[in-house]
Amino acid sequence: MPSHRYRPAHERVEIPKIRRAWPGRRIERAPLWVPVDLRDGNQALAEPMDTPRKRRMFDLLVAMGFKEIEVGYPSSSRTDFDFVRHLATRGAVPDDVTPVVFTAARRDLIEQTFASIQGMPRAVVHLYTATAPVWRDVVLGQDRAGLHALIREAAGHIARLADAMPETALRFEFSPEVFNCTEPDFILEVCNGLTRLWDASPDRPVIHNLPATVEIATPNLYADQIEYMHRHLERRDAVILSVHPHNDRGTGVACAELAVLAGAQRVEGCLFGNGERTGNVDLVTLALNLYAQGVDPMVDFSDIDVIRRTVEECNRLPVHVRHPYGGDLVYTAFSGTHQDAISKGLAHHERAAAERGVPVGEAPWSVPYLPIDPADVGRTYEAVIRVNSQSGKGGIAHLLQAHHGLDLPKALRAEFSRVVQDATDRSGQEATPEDLLRLFRAAYMAQDGPVTLGEGAGPAAALAAALEASGIAVEVLWQGGHPAEGGAVAYARCRVGDTSVWGAGEDTDAASASARAVLAAVNRALAGQRVDLSQG
């Protein structure tokens, strides 16, 4: 492939040389999350949202607890303008939520943006301009001085329009689009100039949002760029340092996390990572990564399936089944070793909770392969372990016990797992808990009529006498069982001739169930069974 056509990051932009502090830091509190699903995410949809879909998305974001929400690009389309007016006139914005509106650096577009927010009690006006050399040369036709003058003029117009709208508490945001490909000294010059022009103060801070509009480098270089800005921005206590990573190299989440270590206080992104090309950074993954480290994410993901379904319906895009935290299969194990570890981990967790005297949902979490408790995001344990041809005895036994109350002896678990694997190999299908019960009963349980025991005799003795009369010698090697719904279940390992086999039985009492288990073992020794998943 013609790799010579492409330049590495260090040849495309100056990477500031700093004495890095970010590698030694830890994230101990959540940044301010700002969802841009209604603007940046919406611009990336083949079918952009109409007002009802936008309102449904907005209401979801409010319900989850986001406190700043970018609601649209009012000058880009009539739909976006009308939606912002809808929010302004319907009283849809709660008192603790600040809407953000997005505008390019043109007077007419800025004026249309201000018209859209008339009547809102508060808002952030977000000004953007691309600043990177390629964009200056190819798209804008401006040198550095000319572009800086254009930005200053637009920012001044915003300030004048804000002065004429005293009924709305306004703050300002600036995004030097393609920050990560722009000369650091130019970005610093522009941002510090706007901090002064907008007269930022701690009680009315300006937001400087520094996008990795197109990822071009490893996340550590983006962190270096952010830390450089963090150290050199003027009136630092009057500036909220924000980041807006994209995912072109597949490292958007890492860029955001390292940027927060480097001094960023605010992160813009989308739920499940929707956005142009490979998407905006995923706020679900970012927030739940913190949650898994014991940090309150400050947004509510307690019913992640409702969140995912709403996003899918609004975006008309599916969320991948392997998407971190939210996909259908992310809490599911098919592998036998994983299943065994999870099953043992869940049992240990229940015991530990009981020993502490706390509910299972409040005990410290430490279960193999599950970074968080699925129940914390509204998932159940039923879907954690699923069975196919790759599965092992631990997962199969867990499902039989969890769904049907069957606690198989260890040796029987190993043997039954081979029965299941044979059936799933031949069918190519996943085995549900109901399939497993049907397979187990067909393979190990006697299904003939009622068992009648001799008066005063135990089940093994009664059966031995009956079988001896038929010329069948049986030695019971092991017997056991447990109560079950409607009676009892028993398991027996018997030697019939030269063959050692397992059997199981269920009945209204332990003695009858035990007799059935022995009878089932004898039947299996005399005639092997092969079971298919497709059988009714």
Side-chain angles (χ1 to χ4, degrees), residues 209-487:
N209 183 56
L210 308 178
T213 306
V214 179
E215 276 196 307
I216 65 162
T218 52
N220 59 299
L221 297 185
Y222 186 55
D224 287 348
Q225 292 173 310
I226 298 301
E227 186 161 3
Y228 172 82
M229 296 296 292
H230 168 60
R231 292 185 185 181
H232 292 92
L233 283 168
E234 294 177 3
R235 305 191 197 183
R236 188 62 187 85
D237 62 347
V239 171
I240 296 172
L241 180 54
S242 176
V243 292
H244 182 113
H246 279 254
N247 199 44
D248 298 88
R249 303 178 80 251
T251 56
V253 167
C255 278
E257 290 180 326
L258 298 192
V260 171
L261 291 174
Q265 302 149 287
R266 181 180 183 272
V267 177
E268 295 184 352
C270 289
L271 298 180
F272 301 106
N274 177 46
E276 294 284 9
R277 304 178 310 280
T278 56
N280 290 282
V281 71
D282 173 22
L283 296 185
V284 175
T285 301
L286 282 171
L288 289 175
N289 279 355
L290 287 188
Y291 183 72
Q293 297 293 310
V295 176
D296 185 351
M298 304 302 289
V299 280
D300 183 2
F301 290 96
S302 60
D303 197 338
I304 202 164
D305 287 335
V306 167
I307 295 168
R308 190 193 71 215
R309 284 196 299 271
T310 303
V311 171
E312 287 177 327
E313 290 166 8
C314 290
N315 288 342
R316 295 179 179 168
L317 291 173
V319 172
H320 197 278
V321 294
R322 297 292 183 191
H323 194 99
Y325 300 106
D328 273 337
L329 296 181
V330 295
Y331 304 107
T332 301
F334 290 103
S335 161
T337 54
H338 289 211
Q339 291 174 341
D340 184 59
I342 291 171
S343 179
K344 290 174 180 175
L346 292 174
H348 180 270
H349 179 70
E350 290 184 5
R351 291 194 302 271
E355 290 169 1
R356 288 172 173 261
V358 299
V360 170
E362 295 180 13
W365 183 254
S366 182
V367 173
Y369 296 113
L370 295 177
I372 66 170
D373 185 345
D376 287 352
V377 290
R379 292 287 180 87
T380 65
Y381 296 123
E382 293 177 4
V384 169
I385 294 176
R386 289 164 61 175
V387 170
N388 62 15
S389 61
Q390 305 300 308
S391 304
K393 61 183 184 295
I396 293 167
H398 174 84
L399 289 181
L400 282 177
Q401 184 169 27
H403 289 266
H404 305 297
L406 298 181
D407 187 10
L408 273 58
K410 279 189 175 182
L412 181 53
R413 294 178 189 181
E415 183 177 299
F416 180 53
S417 70
R418 292 191 290 272
V419 173
V420 174
Q421 186 172 43
D422 179 62
T424 52
D425 271 336
R426 284 184 286 110
S427 72
Q429 300 174 20
E430 178 185 343
T432 67
E434 290 68 32
D435 289 330
L436 295 178
L437 179 62
R438 182 165 51 80
L439 284 169
F440 183 76
R441 281 177 169 163
Y444 291 96
M445 287 187 169
Q447 301 299 327
D448 296 328
V451 175
T452 303
L453 303 179
E455 185 177 348
L463 271 179
L467 293 169
E468 185 178 356
S470 302
I472 301 172
V474 180
E475 180 184 0
V476 179
L477 303 176
W478 185 92
Q479 277 188 300
H482 54 77
E485 185 176 354

Side-chain angles (χ1 to χ4, degrees), residues 39 70 102 126-131 151 173-179 187 191 194 198 207-211 213 242 244 266 268:
R39 193 277 300 174
E70 192 167 76
F102 190 75
H126 182 177
L127 173 70
Y128 84 96
T129 302
T131 55
I151 294 169
E173 176 178 356
F174 174 64
S175 285
E177 191 180 1
V178 214
F179 154 81
I187 294 292
C191 287
L194 294 186
W198 284 332
I207 301 164
H208 287 310
N209 183 56
L210 308 178
T213 306
S242 176
H244 182 113
R266 181 180 183 272
E268 295 184 352

